[in-house]
Amino acid sequence: MASTAQEIRIRPLSELDISRVVAIDERLTGVYRPEVWERRVGYYLRRDPDSCPVAEIGGTVVGFMFSDVRGGEFGLEETTGWIERFGVDPDFQGRSIGRRLFEAVQAQMAGHGVKMIRTLVDKKDSDLASFLRAVGFENAALQALEMKNPAEPPPERSSK
């Protein structure tokens, strides 16, 4: 029996969600990274767990969206909402879970006075960019720039 939108429960992030966030990320990336997610979940629980909804179906977390409200970054003085990371278990994609998570984030950010929501997307991730455009994101006037740190320490040598 297929799940319907009515069976999707959106609620704030809790510490008990770490293992499912790790599992969803591993399914999406192929990399098991519990230490990354333990740090990130801890950060968001301290900041504002209500801005980090998770989606449950049948009591199991099937998606998450981590966002934050900040101001004064990158010379942008307005209060800005940032969506940092999100994911939906591949077995549950195509059921509007990502859209429902985004709508929960939008509502929470509106309560903080946010008028602009931003995120960054790898140019190679066309599926993610397509989803973000579908929920209303557009190309920004801002441009991300990066460089490898020339002062990065050399790799450690093994002593034999």
Side-chain angles (χ1 to χ4, degrees), residues 65-79:
M65 185 170 285
F66 293 171
S67 68
D68 200 4
V69 175
R70 301 187 297 263
E73 270 139 359
F74 310 109
L76 305 169
E77 294 307 318
E78 80 253 5
T79 301

Side-chain angles (χ1 to χ4, degrees), residues 30-97:
V31 181
Y32 179 66
R33 309 183 293 177
E35 65 289 341
V36 168
W37 293 105
E38 287 172 11
R39 278 193 312 272
R40 297 315 300 163
V41 167
Y43 170 83
Y44 286 112
L45 287 173
R46 288 187 304 278
R47 296 274 301 170
D48 184 6
D50 290 332
S51 291
C52 301
V54 297
E56 287 183 335
I57 294 179
T60 299
V61 172
V62 297
F64 63 92
M65 185 170 285
F66 293 171
S67 68
D68 200 4
V69 175
R70 301 187 297 263
E73 270 139 359
F74 310 109
L76 305 169
E77 294 307 318
E78 80 253 5
T79 301
T80 303
W82 288 91
I83 295 176
E84 183 183 305
R85 298 177 185 219
F86 63 96
V88 174
D89 186 312
D91 291 342
F92 295 89
Q93 292 177 359
R95 300 182 193 189
S96 297
I97 293 169

